[in-house]
Amino acid sequence: MEFKILDSIPDLTNLKSFTERYFSKRYITNVNGVKNNDIMIMFHSNRIALLSLAPSHFFFNKKNDFKVNYSLGNINRLSNSVKGKSKKGGQHLVPKSVICKIEYEDGTSFAVPCCMKGSLVEVNEELVKNPKLLREYPDEDGYIAIILSSIAISEATKNEMLTHEEYLKVLNSFELND
Amino acid sequence: MNDSEVIKLCKELGCCDACCLRYVGLKTPIAYENAKQFLVKYVKEKLEPVNNDEHSKGQDETKPDHVDQSKEQGKEESANNVEQSKEQDLTEPASDVNHSTDQETEPLKHEVDSEALRNEVDNRTHKKEADESTCDTSGAKEMSGEPPAKKQKLDSICVSCLGVLQEENWQQCNTMVKELLHKKQYESETFACALSAPIATMLREHYVMLCLKEKFTHYDTKQLTPLKEAWKWSFGAQLAAHVGMAQDSGAVSPLLVTLNLEYPDDLQELEVLKTLSASLFESRSKQRQRFAVEFTRRSVEQALRDVTLAGLRRQAAWARGAPVPRTHTAPVSVQAAHAPLYLGGRYVKLSRMLPQTPWLVNGLRMMHSSVQETIFEPIARLYGMSPEEMEHRLKFMSAGREDVDVRCLGEGRPFAVEVSDPQRQPTADELRRLCDEISEGEQVIVKNLVKVSREDLALLKKGEETKSKTYEALCIKLSHTEDDELTANGDTAVRVTERDIANINSYRNSDSDSSRVLLTQRTPIRVLHRRPLLTRTRRIHDLTAYRVPGHPQLFVVRLRTEAGTYVKEWAHGEAGRTRPRLQDALRARADILALDVASVDLPWPNTQPIHST
Ligand SMILES: [Zn+2]
């Protein structure tokens, strides 16, 4: 019997994107009390986490040109490097640590906090060259950083954050209040 | 000094006949098969004339032994060597024998033409038969001329080998080996045997050699025939007759029988080394982590460098010579192991829910089976293994692996199974039946299984790093290309066009003849928790695409890649962590829906019949 790739066409009505297939998305809204300072963290089943902006972040309402700056005073996230299987040497992160700043042409800016404890594995250098990826594909090519933490911390952070359903509910209640 | 004087002293010290031959440095296997007889003849026929000669010279014995004299005696000694050259063709060069007592499985290295020697011995046996039948069983009397009162008793335990080489102690060993071989039912025609002897024999050997050295300045301690060799030639030879198999060297026979002999006073006797080599054992006891066991062959070997005859004689137990053994060594266990059997083949994997090896997360299995288990189960049944036995007697090897959701089609992926300690070799019929049983469930198909060699396994492992693989990926176009939008004509559905296919088929970013696409891939996130973060360059040698009838948004890419290329990551791009990616060739966003390995380009196993290893 001959087997062909075409004998395995899946159901096309329910396709999932790369991040939907492999990650579970968690949200935190109004970080540091700033309205719509909303962060999304995507957790891989192996506890690796991708930091991104949640779709409700105020960033997506502003149309001005911007730059992504990973160089923050005395810390340059671009110079982060990790070694070996255990990713030794990654910059240490706490929930309040700033990963990058989004800087607008008019001189205003905002900081992106990482919202979890862990160590920095990688930042998305492509955003420096091509910032519009952050606006167009925030949950894929526009991811901000890759963070590694222990299984325990990763689980705890996941549990503290909103699931996708909870997040949608919170957004709806805000709309009603406004 | 001559051999008969060495033998005489060994006898006086309490050595058995075989040990006498060992200290003389005899390395002729046949000599040990009946050490008693051989010793008598050796002394009588070969040495007595020389012996008389030497006695008239009054050499060695009459001279006080002194290290300084060895230099003065140099000339005489070399003359002596010429004299003795005749008897030396009976023995083989000592330099070839490995003295390390740690390597029990070391192959024997005897170069003597034992056939010729056997004839010689046989002839002499016939000639002297009459003598022999009336002769006292002890060889000591004949060659030393000692009065009967002083000779060793028949059943006394050898002070050197502690009975290891004395045939009166072999009965139990024979029985244990026979029982074990009967239980395991090997179909081997040969066996090799290995000995684990009490360590106290090393100390006792050292003592005998110190005594020989004291009396005969020129005694060469390097000539000693190792205990394990003499044991193979004596015990091993009679064991062969007992179990009805031929004995061969460990390098040749696939079946190894290991006997562990213990001596009850072993540790107690070695205690003396803690006094005689105090610093060694002090430093070892400070490093308990590293040296959990006090007396090992290695530590005793080191300690013996510090042990002198004078030092040993100051110890109460050794004041009047080597302590008389209370009892002989006895076998405590026997192991038998057959060299592993290696089976090689190629597997086709038809399931997208089947991992290659059991997939465990926190000790829980994620899928109910695996390719490995599907292949193992019939083999385990053939060899009557329980599930626990299967786990440690079967080992799976393959040229790479595919993900749980990736099928492996075409001619399949090369793999091998190591069966440890097989009782027998499978027949061609049995191999065919194994294939049928593996393929029964239609998840894993194996068409052919052959016996492969250890060298073939190396090729399999090497292939993992060097082979290229051909994949087929079912992909979806997710956005319009720039020219799609120009011709959209009001219809906004995304479709794969002939131009898209042409774009992929002509895509290249490399001028190399052997590859069209050079990729830069970061370690995929899915394995990043257990592998270092690296950026690697990988090649796509060839890349073609075709449309899928009835599915306008889908297309298939067929690509041949260098080993180690992450194809899924190239197809979906992993948020830009692999560049360039499929979307660069298509000029629109793309994703992957399914992946198959179409061929693993490694011709293995060789289908020529391969003789058993
Ligand atoms: Zn002995």
Side-chain angles (χ1 to χ4, degrees):
Chain A
M1 185 178 171
E2 187 76 16
F3 297 95
K4 294 270 176 209
I5 186 91
L6 297 183
D7 55 37
S8 61
I9 294 172
D11 176 11
L12 300 182
T13 57
N14 190 24
L15 290 179
K16 288 177 166 179
S17 73
F18 156 66
T19 51
E20 285 164 346
R21 288 203 292 276
Y22 300 115
F23 296 82
S24 44
K25 296 178 174 179
R26 292 290 189 277
Y27 305 83
I28 178 165
T29 56
N30 305 336
V31 179
N32 300 328
V34 179
K35 191 168 182 320
N36 285 121
N37 190 15
D38 301 346
I39 295 294
M40 173 169 74
I41 299 180
M42 299 184 281
F43 292 90
H44 194 275
S45 56
N46 69 7
R47 81 181 188 269
I48 304 265
L50 261 59
L51 177 70
S52 356
L53 298 184
S56 56
H57 196 285
F58 59 75
F59 163 80
F60 295 101
N61 293 325
K62 241 176 153 175
K63 297 297 168 216
N64 311 39
D65 280 350
F66 65 95
K67 281 185 175 147
V68 178
N69 189 353
Y70 284 104
S71 176
L72 313 157
N74 50 3
I75 301 174
N76 186 357
R77 301 288 183 205
L78 291 171
S79 63
N80 185 72
S81 77
V82 293
K83 261 193 168 169
K85 288 179 188 170
S86 56
K87 319 286 173 308
K88 281 201 184 81
Q91 293 173 8
H92 185 66
L93 303 174
V94 294
K96 282 193 184 312
S97 301
V98 173
I99 298 296
C100 65
K101 279 190 166 162
I102 310 302
E103 298 169 346
Y104 292 96
E105 284 175 317
D106 61 8
T108 60
S109 70
F110 71 91
V112 179
C114 84
C115 300
M116 70 181 285
K117 214 179 148 192
S119 78
L120 186 62
V121 174
E122 190 175 297
V123 295
N124 188 356
E125 293 167 24
E126 193 62 23
L127 292 180
V128 178
K129 282 184 271 176
N130 197 357
K132 70 174 195 300
L133 291 173
L134 182 62
R135 187 166 277 154
E136 290 174 24
Y137 308 108
D139 69 343
E140 285 205 21
D141 291 22
Y143 78 93
I144 290 165
I146 299 178
I147 297 161
L148 177 69
S149 62
S150 66
I151 294 174
I153 291 175
S154 152
E155 279 305 307
T157 311
K158 234 162 116 177
N159 291 337
E160 283 164 20
M161 294 176 77
L162 303 171
T163 63
H164 193 68
E165 293 69 31
E166 290 165 341
Y167 169 67
L168 293 178
K169 266 188 208 161
V170 168
L171 290 190
N172 284 333
S173 67
F174 276 135
E175 275 167 26
L176 292 175
N177 292 342
D178 282 349
Chain B
M1 172 191 79
N2 64 35
D3 287 355
S4 86
E5 287 171 317
V6 169
I7 292 169
K8 185 180 162 202
L9 178 57
C10 289
K11 278 283 166 190
E12 279 167 12
L13 293 170
C15 290
C16 68
D17 298 327
C19 281
C20 291
L21 298 177
R22 292 169 58 220
Y23 287 107
V24 165
L26 207 70
K27 293 185 177 61
T28 325
I30 189 83
Y32 291 86
E33 284 185 23
N34 192 337
K36 217 164 273 177
Q37 272 185 29
F38 191 88
L39 195 63
V40 172
K41 292 177 176 55
Y42 186 61
V43 170
K44 263 201 167 174
E45 296 192 356
K46 288 283 176 181
L47 297 180
E48 268 175 359
V50 185
N51 198 6
N52 293 338
D53 225 347
E54 294 224 338
H55 273 296
S56 64
K57 280 187 201 162
Q59 228 189 358
D60 282 345
E61 258 181 336
T62 53
K63 285 179 184 166
D65 280 303
H66 207 274
V67 183
D68 289 346
Q69 289 206 332
S70 66
K71 280 175 194 163
E72 298 166 23
Q73 286 182 348
K75 269 188 183 173
E76 280 178 76
E77 196 58 29
S78 63
N80 206 15
N81 281 344
V82 176
E83 233 173 281
Q84 292 187 349
S85 66
K86 264 191 186 171
E87 44 182 288
Q88 275 173 355
D89 36 3
L90 231 178
T91 63
E92 65 171 322
S95 58
D96 235 356
V97 167
N98 191 323
H99 277 253
S100 156
T101 41
D102 280 333
Q103 294 168 292
E104 302 289 2
T105 55
E106 170 81 10
L108 313 188
K109 299 177 183 172
H110 40 90
E111 289 162 2
V112 153
D113 183 356
S114 49
E115 191 60 37
L117 184 73
R118 194 182 285 270
N119 291 335
E120 191 185 343
V121 171
D122 283 350
N123 288 340
R124 283 186 291 150
T125 310
H126 287 304
K127 202 168 65 188
K128 301 286 275 183
E129 204 133 30
D131 275 17
E132 199 51 44
S133 57
T134 55
C135 177
D136 190 303
T137 38
S138 164
K141 189 176 141 196
E142 279 80 3
M143 45 126 207
S144 64
E146 290 288 329
K150 246 193 142 185
K151 79 176 199 230
Q152 294 293 315
K153 268 196 290 169
L154 174 65
D155 58 350
S156 65
I157 300 158
C158 172
V159 295
S160 177
C161 68
L162 296 169
V164 170
L165 298 180
Q166 292 175 290
E167 63 176 299
E168 47 271 35
N169 304 322
W170 292 344
Q171 183 58 40
Q172 205 186 342
C173 294
N174 286 339
T175 309
M176 284 173 81
V177 172
K178 208 170 175 180
E179 266 171 24
L180 181 66
L181 292 181
H182 180 76
K183 194 179 127 205
K184 296 188 92 173
Q185 291 288 314
Y186 294 105
E187 279 182 8
S188 179
E189 284 172 2
T190 62
F191 74 98
C193 58
L195 168 70
S196 166
I199 300 176
T201 56
M202 293 173 70
L203 170 61
R204 286 168 170 273
E205 238 166 44
H206 186 73
Y207 168 76
V208 174
M209 287 194 292
L210 287 176
C211 291
L212 286 163
K213 199 78 186 147
E214 180 192 44
K215 188 145 189 196
F216 313 114
T217 321
H218 301 290
Y219 180 77
D220 180 7
T221 56
K222 287 197 193 75
Q223 75 185 40
L224 174 74
T225 302
L227 177 61
K228 57 167 183 165
E229 299 299 331
W231 178 78
K232 285 175 197 170
W233 297 331
S234 56
F235 170 78
Q238 64 83 46
L239 179 66
H242 200 79
V243 298
M245 285 176 175
Q247 187 186 211
D248 212 328
S249 84
V252 177
S253 179
L255 178 60
L256 181 70
V257 176
T258 307
L259 267 151
N260 301 298
L261 301 188
E262 275 185 14
Y263 171 59
D265 296 334
D266 201 38
L267 294 179
Q268 189 195 315
E269 280 187 13
L270 293 168
E271 278 296 309
V272 73
L273 293 175
K274 286 197 214 160
T275 313
L276 296 172
S277 184
S279 62
L280 175 73
F281 288 96
E282 269 162 34
S283 85
R284 281 175 72 94
S285 77
K286 277 178 198 148
Q287 300 176 68
R288 277 270 161 77
Q289 295 284 330
R290 242 182 99 195
F291 305 114
V293 181
E294 243 174 359
F295 297 115
T296 62
R297 293 196 161 266
R298 178 170 284 274
S299 76
V300 169
E301 198 178 293
Q302 281 178 333
L304 288 176
R305 287 180 208 146
D306 299 333
V307 176
T308 61
L309 200 52
L312 203 50
R313 282 176 178 155
R314 275 198 295 276
Q315 303 302 311
W318 291 80
R320 275 185 226 113
V324 176
R326 273 196 302 137
T327 174
H328 58 80
T329 58
V332 286
S333 64
V334 186
Q335 286 106 37
H338 193 285
L341 161 73
Y342 301 106
L343 298 176
R346 301 179 78 103
Y347 71 80
V348 167
K349 171 164 108 73
L350 298 178
S351 169
R352 295 197 186 282
M353 308 268 280
L354 191 69
Q356 194 199 48
T357 53
W359 180 18
L360 302 173
V361 176
N362 302 325
L364 294 173
R365 49 184 320 149
M366 304 302 285
M367 297 283 170
H368 81 280
S369 187
S370 63
V371 173
Q372 178 186 299
E373 288 155 290
T374 309
I375 293 173
F376 276 5
E377 275 151 22
I379 300 177
R381 274 200 299 277
L382 178 65
Y383 282 100
M385 297 177 195
S386 67
E388 300 79 52
E389 240 186 313
M390 174 176 103
E391 221 165 273
H392 61 258
R393 278 184 63 194
L394 298 183
K395 201 174 137 201
F396 188 81
M397 290 156 274
S398 65
R401 52 165 61 217
E402 59 282 310
D403 294 338
V404 56
D405 59 351
V406 174
R407 299 188 304 179
C408 185
L409 308 179
E411 293 305 304
R413 183 184 295 277
F415 75 95
V417 176
E418 177 182 322
V419 183
S420 66
D421 194 20
Q423 299 95 315
R424 57 190 190 80
Q425 307 294 305
T427 63
D429 254 6
E430 285 171 332
L431 289 175
R432 260 195 304 279
R433 208 162 55 236
L434 285 178
C435 293
D436 292 345
E437 289 176 31
I438 292 166
S439 311
E440 234 163 43
E442 292 178 351
Q443 300 236 297
V444 176
I445 309 289
V446 174
K447 284 189 198 149
N448 246 317
L449 270 178
V450 293
K451 284 198 273 174
V452 296
S453 68
R454 199 180 266 281
E455 291 71 43
D456 291 324
L457 292 191
L459 293 178
L460 179 70
K461 281 282 146 204
K462 204 174 158 213
E464 190 173 343
E465 295 145 29
T466 55
K467 72 192 181 308
S468 65
K469 280 186 283 185
T470 305
Y471 292 92
E472 282 204 323
L474 181 66
C475 299
I476 183 165
K477 180 177 170 184
L478 293 173
S479 66
H480 288 287
T481 56
E482 275 180 33
D483 39 0
D484 277 350
E485 278 155 346
L486 291 172
T487 58
N489 207 14
D491 180 3
T492 55
V494 173
R495 287 196 177 86
V496 178
T497 64
E498 274 309 316
R499 184 186 289 270
D500 294 332
I501 298 297
N503 283 342
I504 295 171
N505 289 346
S506 64
Y507 180 80
R508 69 186 307 144
N509 75 346
S510 156
D511 291 331
S512 152
D513 286 339
S514 63
S515 60
R516 277 174 48 192
V517 188
L518 277 181
L519 304 178
T520 306
Q521 293 199 302
R522 295 194 185 200
T523 305
I525 293 167
R526 64 190 161 101
V527 297
L528 192 54
H529 61 300
R530 56 187 165 90
R531 294 199 190 146
L533 173 60
L534 295 171
T535 303
R536 295 181 185 81
T537 303
R538 289 288 182 268
R539 287 158 211 276
I540 298 176
H541 303 302
D542 206 6
L543 176 64
T544 52
Y546 57 90
R547 289 199 281 176
V548 177
H551 294 276
Q553 217 185 330
L554 305 188
F555 61 105
V556 172
V557 284
R558 189 177 172 94
L559 65 165
R560 195 162 59 82
T561 66
E562 180 183 1
T565 309
Y566 292 106
V567 176
K568 282 181 187 164
E569 277 68 19
W570 167 77
H572 59 59
E574 209 192 20
R577 296 179 79 252
T578 288
R579 280 172 197 273
R581 42 187 157 169
L582 176 57
Q583 76 172 51
D584 297 301
L586 178 67
R587 305 180 195 185
R589 290 181 70 77
D591 202 350
I592 180 170
L593 304 179
L595 183 65
D596 286 341
V597 176
S599 83
V600 179
D601 304 335
L602 176 71
W604 195 99
N606 194 339
T607 46
Q608 299 298 311
I610 292 157
H611 62 85
S612 142
T613 50

